Every structure is written in structure tokens, then in C-alpha cells.
Amino acid sequence: MRIRHPLLAVVVLSLAVVLVAVGCARKVQEPAREPVILHDWFTDDPGTLDVQQDTTLAVYGLARELFNTLVRYKGETLELEPELLESMPTISADGKVYTFKLKQGILCHDGKTELTSKDVKFTFERMLDPNGKGLSTWLYEPILGAKDMVEGKAAELKGFKIINDYEFEITLEKPYAPFLHNLAVPSASIYPAELCKAAGEEWGRKPVGTGPFKLKEYTPSTSIVLEKNPYYFEKGLPYLDGIEYRIVPDEATGLMEFEKGTFDVTSIPTNEFERITKSGQYTILESTPLNTYYFVFNMKEKPYTDVRVRKAIAMAIDKQKIIDSILGGRATVAKAFVTPGIPGAYPAGQGPAYDYNPAEAKKILEEAGLKKIKAVTWQRGGTQVADTNIAIQAMLKEIGIDLEVQIIDRAAFGEARAQGKVPANYGNWWADIPDPDNYLYTYFHPSQSRYMSTNYDNPRVTALLDEARITTDPARRAQLYQEAEKIIVGDDAAIVPLFHKKDYLAVQKNVKGIIMHPTGVNSYKMVQKEPAPK
């Protein structure tokens, strides 16, 4: 609209000036909004935020806030959906060639660097570099040429072809049904090549990603502070302005600070579970993560070389008693090694594991003429023997097996296990991906079993696991894996599945939206925090 009368123009101009002035005055008078920060805590300083170098759940959780993966799990389900991708990749008819397309315009935390296909290729090759520190090479090993890179025979990943800035193609050496799940593991987070290379050795303390939060401050042994990424590609997220993780080595102190309101979220120590959950003061979140706690044997170490001893041990352990007396009921008895809920696993409450039957265990040993059996198990770290090991020790004594528990330094344990030298141990496996391959191939395929110190080698099981890897029909895969597990857990008694542990968090009532995923990796991207009541 044009204003033709000069006097009217002056009036309108004056009025506009007044309105602007009033608006400014109101703006000045508005109180500044307090940033909404979520306060959490760890017992240990992770030491690095490079998720290629640290695969603990703490670093996995941090990685989900700082970085993104090509695909991710949808909410709290096991269904995959695109994250950095525009859509799910197309797969060739022979199951070997995957074609990907990245979303355009995804900026890194610096607000300038756009993620492209080159960054994806760099990330894969960085993990596979034999001179690097990537721990999860298994993620990309199905890709053509990956093994050559790991062995130092190639400098580039042959099966990765860049089509353009946003499209790329991956060729597998042979079909591998769970491949896309590998790409959703936090250690498959995509790094911006040039920023990562520029940071060098500092990358673990100064990472730059594309995730909903960016690193603000990392004070070793004290705190890790994240702030909202203003360039995050999912509009409107995250809701929080930041997250502060404090390092509190003592669990009791961490819980006390939570009860004082210093922290918004906490895990719950077993001895405080009933008091905290029944107090009515907090929101209690429960999840059934994909894990199995077990007692596993080295098939090359006496007396575990004798299947009768292994079966007797499997029958002598009262799993429910361990759950009730040590875990406060926060677990379910394991009937199989592969956790129920994983496609292809035995249904909950079913499986080939032996039931508690000490009388039958004694009978097996007596009929075999086995008496005064001495056995050794290793415990990974700690200053005293763990309660579960003490319980197992007492239960085996009831059937005439004298079990010695040796505490081994964590680093020494890890080194010995990779060399196949741990005689037996009480341990646990939290699924990296929801697929039986992640359990059974890792522990019981002869190409891998040495690294987990099972030294298991059964040609029939090997054939079943090999066939299952390249089979795409879900029903056939389930059949193959369940047959394999029947042999491993039942016939060979190579492992004693003990229990599946539940996970609980206590959360202040003004905090909502925490995603507890079955893989054990929690996310704060959707968290909303209302002002605390005064």
C-alpha cells in the first residue's frame, strides 16, 4: 500500500516509531529463560568420546547424543529406520549390493561442514585401519575388501563406492542378513572426515558430530557438559538446552545426590531398590534389555574338556536363588543364551538350558567315576570375589566340585581371553545387534571362539551358523539358530545361561521422555524437563 498524503505519512511514521519503542521496551523487560539442563552421573570417567575406541554403554550413550548413524532404531523398538539417510537403502536381488542416499544439508556442530559420502567412507576406513584403534571392525567386516584392510593388505575399502556427494554403494563379500543392524550400533557413528583428521589425537576429547547435542566442556574425572546443537537436522529437537554428566565414583554418593535433587536420573543399587522404588517420590523406568549373564567354559581347559562335568555344573547352579538372593528379583531365569525377544531366539521361558537338578548332577559325576574335581574360574577385575561367583562356588561344592575363583586384572583378563586362555568365567553379553549371529557366531564359530576363550569347534554348529548368516528367510534363520543353540547349550553344555537382567532408572518426576532401548543404550534427545516444584 502506498501513502499519498504527507501529513498522514508523518502520523503513520510516528505511530510506527512508538510501537517499535514499546515493543523494544517489552522485550527488554522479559526475564531471560533459564536454560533447561538435564543432570546425570557416571561412576567412571570414560576417558574418551571416540566411540570407535570405547564400546562401553556409557560411551555408546554419549555417542547417541553427539553423533548419528546411517540407520537407527525406531523409539524403543527393534525396527530400523533411516537416520542420516533419506530412506532405507535398496538391496540387490543377490543380497550383496546396498545403495544408500544421504539426506542433504546435514551440518556438523561447527555449522559449516556438511556431511557427505566421503565422510561415511572415511569413517568405515578409519575403523578398519590396522594402524588405528578401532575396536569394532566386525561392523564392517562383511564388506568386500574389509579383511584386506584389517590385515594391512589394502589402504582403501574395495566394497565402498562413492557415486556422488550424497549417494554411495556398498558391496558385501557375500550376503549377510543382519548387515543393516551393524550400521545402527553407536560405534558405527559417522565422523566428519576433515574435522576428525584435523583433531588428530585430540578427537576423543574434542569430537565434532551431527548429533542433537555438541560438546561444550570435558573436564577429566569431573564432568562432561553437552549443549544443544542449533544446527540439528531434526527440527525442534532436542528439547533440552544441555546435559551435564558428573563423575561420581561412589554409587552411594551418586544416589544421595539424586535424592537431594542434584541429579535428575540415576541407576538404582540393588540394596536400595525397594526403598527407592516404593518411596513414591520418583518415576521408576523399567526395561528388559537384550542381555544374558552366563557361566562359560573353555573347551580346552580341564576339567571342562569333559562334557559330563559341564552338564553337572549346568544342573548344579540354582539360577532362581541367585536372582532372588543377589539381584533382588531383578532378572529372569535364562533358558537359552540368545536373549528372548530377538528374532530367531527361543521364546521367553523356553530353550535347551538345563534346569536346576543337583541330584542328577551328582548322579552324572558318580556314574562317570569323577570324584574330588578341582576347577578354576577367572573373575574379571575387582578387589573381592563377586557375590555370584561365591554363590556358584557354594553350589558346585554341593556336588563335589571344588571351584577356585581367581581375580584377574581387567586388562590381563582381556588379553588372556583374546588368546583363548581364560579357563572359565561368569560373564555377560549385551547384544550389539538384535540378531542371534551376534551371540552364537561371536562365541561359538571356530573363527571367533578363541577370542572369547570358549575354543568351541563343532562342525555341525559351524555349518548351521554359516548357513544362517547368508539366509534371508526369517523362519529358516530361526530354525538354524535354534538347532545350533540346542547343540551348544544342550548337547555340548558349552555355556550355562544364567539369567537376563532387567534395567531400572529412577527419574525425578519433572523429567519425561527418556528412551530406554533394549540394546541398553539410552537417549535424551526427546527428554523434556519441567521446572522443579518449590
Side-chain angles (χ1 to χ4, degrees):
M1 179 179 69
R2 291 182 180 178
I3 300 173
R4 293 180 179 177
H5 197 291
L7 180 57
L8 183 58
V10 170
V11 171
V12 170
L13 180 61
S14 302
L15 183 60
V17 170
V18 170
L19 289 173
V20 169
V22 170
C24 289
R26 282 181 180 166
K27 200 168 185 179
V28 170
Q29 289 171 0
E30 286 177 0
R33 184 177 68 86
E34 285 289 325
V36 181
I37 308 297
L38 186 81
H39 299 277
D40 193 358
W41 63 286
F42 297 135
T43 51
D44 298 303
D45 182 347
T48 181
L49 302 179
D50 184 351
V51 72
Q52 288 195 354
Q53 293 186 23
D54 191 313
T55 58
T56 58
L57 280 176
V59 175
Y60 270 16
L62 285 161
R64 288 303 298 150
E65 314 301 356
L66 291 167
F67 306 108
N68 295 103
T69 45
L70 296 175
V71 293
R72 67 184 176 195
Y73 293 106
K74 192 173 184 179
E76 296 178 352
T77 75
L78 298 178
E79 181 186 350
L80 291 175
E81 66 178 6
E83 184 160 66
L84 290 172
L85 299 178
E86 198 168 272
S87 58
M88 293 301 283
T90 59
I91 307 172
S92 64
D94 65 0
K96 292 173 64 176
V97 182
Y98 290 64
T99 304
F100 298 79
K101 188 171 186 180
L102 289 171
K103 289 174 182 165
Q104 294 189 28
I106 294 180
L107 294 179
C108 297
H109 295 156
D110 65 356
K112 297 180 287 187
T113 306
E114 185 185 7
L115 209 72
T116 69
S117 301
K118 289 180 182 175
D119 299 307
V120 182
K121 184 170 186 281
F122 164 80
T123 301
F124 283 31
E125 291 179 344
R126 183 179 187 267
M127 179 75 86
L128 297 169
D129 183 352
N131 300 313
K133 298 176 182 175
L135 295 178
S136 303
T137 55
W138 64 271
L139 293 172
Y140 308 129
E141 279 182 357
I143 301 174
L144 182 67
K147 288 175 184 169
D148 285 343
M149 278 204 73
V150 171
E151 293 170 4
K153 298 176 183 175
E156 281 195 82
L157 185 55
K158 185 177 180 181
F160 195 111
K161 177 185 172 185
I162 293 177
I163 299 171
N164 57 42
D165 280 353
Y166 306 106
E167 293 176 274
F168 56 92
E169 190 177 273
I170 291 176
T171 303
L172 305 187
E173 192 173 320
K174 53 188 175 183
Y176 176 59
F179 180 61
L180 288 180
H181 284 285
N182 287 17
L183 305 183
V185 177
S187 49
S189 297
I190 305 302
Y191 291 168
E194 297 308 318
L195 296 176
C196 182
K197 285 189 278 189
E201 291 297 318
E202 291 294 303
W203 179 252
R205 294 288 175 88
K206 297 178 180 177
V208 180
T210 55
F213 296 93
K214 63 178 184 175
L215 181 65
K216 181 180 180 182
E217 189 176 73
Y218 187 165
T219 308
S221 303
T222 302
S223 65
I224 298 169
V225 182
L226 310 185
E227 62 183 355
K228 184 175 187 170
N229 171 15
Y231 310 104
Y232 189 53
F233 61 90
E234 291 188 287
K235 298 303 177 191
L237 295 175
Y239 298 121
L240 294 168
D241 294 311
I243 308 170
E244 180 183 19
Y245 301 89
R246 287 249 311 274
I247 313 299
V248 183
D250 180 57
E251 267 196 338
T253 303
L255 181 63
M256 183 181 69
E257 292 293 327
F258 170 77
E259 292 187 81
K260 285 167 58 180
T262 307
F263 298 134
D264 294 304
V265 58
T266 185
S267 55
I268 312 172
T270 301
N271 61 344
E272 296 284 5
F273 183 71
E274 191 166 344
R275 182 177 70 81
I276 294 296
T277 54
K278 292 185 176 177
S279 71
Q281 296 182 56
Y282 314 107
T283 301
I284 306 299
L285 304 180
E286 175 184 337
S287 108
T288 306
L290 302 175
N291 65 57
T292 302
Y293 286 67
Y294 57 74
F295 191 84
V296 70
F297 309 107
N298 187 330
M299 307 291 278
K300 290 186 176 178
E301 293 282 338
K302 291 183 177 180
Y304 309 120
T305 48
D306 191 327
V307 68
R308 296 167 298 183
V309 173
R310 300 196 300 268
K311 285 184 179 178
I313 290 175
M315 294 178 190
I317 299 176
D318 188 344
K319 305 170 187 178
Q320 189 62 56
K321 187 174 182 180
I322 292 173
I323 293 170
D324 293 339
S325 62
I326 298 175
L327 302 175
R330 300 195 298 175
T332 56
V333 168
K335 298 290 290 182
F337 180 41
V338 181
T339 312
I342 288 179
Y346 281 95
Q350 298 180 33
Y354 292 96
D355 292 328
Y356 175 57
N357 191 343
E360 182 65 21
K362 285 181 184 175
K363 184 179 173 186
I364 289 173
L365 296 179
E366 285 170 5
E367 289 180 353
L370 298 169
K371 298 178 182 178
K372 295 181 179 179
I373 301 168
K374 290 188 176 295
V376 173
T377 184
W378 284 14
Q379 177 178 304
R380 185 175 189 165
T383 55
Q384 54 189 11
V385 176
D387 290 343
T388 302
N389 270 330
I390 292 174
I392 291 172
Q393 195 176 40
M395 291 168 186
L396 298 197
K397 192 172 184 181
E398 292 294 316
I399 64 166
I401 295 178
D402 181 11
L403 181 69
E404 180 187 355
V405 181
Q406 296 179 356
I407 299 175
I408 308 296
D409 172 77
R410 294 177 73 85
F413 183 101
E415 188 176 337
R417 186 168 76 166
Q419 296 172 357
K421 295 180 178 176
V422 175
N425 76 287
Y426 157 64
N428 63 77
W429 185 252
W430 287 62
D432 294 296
I433 60 172
D435 195 282
D437 182 82
N438 189 236
Y439 292 68
L440 301 180
Y441 197 91
T442 304
Y443 278 73
F444 301 110
H445 192 277
S447 67
Q448 305 294 315
S449 63
R450 181 175 74 97
Y451 304 118
M452 304 308 286
S453 276
T454 65
N455 285 310
Y456 184 84
D457 186 359
N458 181 322
R460 175 59 185 155
V461 170
T462 303
L464 290 167
L465 297 181
D466 284 339
E467 184 183 344
R469 275 201 144 194
I470 61 173
T471 299
T472 54
D473 176 46
R476 177 60 181 158
R477 293 189 84 229
Q479 186 182 19
L480 293 167
Y481 282 125
Q482 289 182 16
E483 184 180 345
E485 192 162 10
K486 182 176 179 300
I487 298 171
I488 296 165
V489 177
D491 300 348
D492 290 344
I495 189 169
V496 184
L498 298 175
F499 51 83
H500 309 293
K501 203 171 178 182
K502 295 180 182 176
D503 202 8
Y504 293 88
L505 289 177
V507 181
Q508 303 292 356
K509 287 199 169 180
N510 61 325
V511 174
K512 303 183 189 311
I514 293 176
I515 294 175
M516 294 181 75
H517 194 266
T519 56
V521 182
N522 300 334
S523 168
Y524 294 151
K525 183 178 69 178
M526 305 293 288
V527 166
Q528 298 187 63
K529 182 180 173 184
E530 298 167 357
K534 295 182 180 177

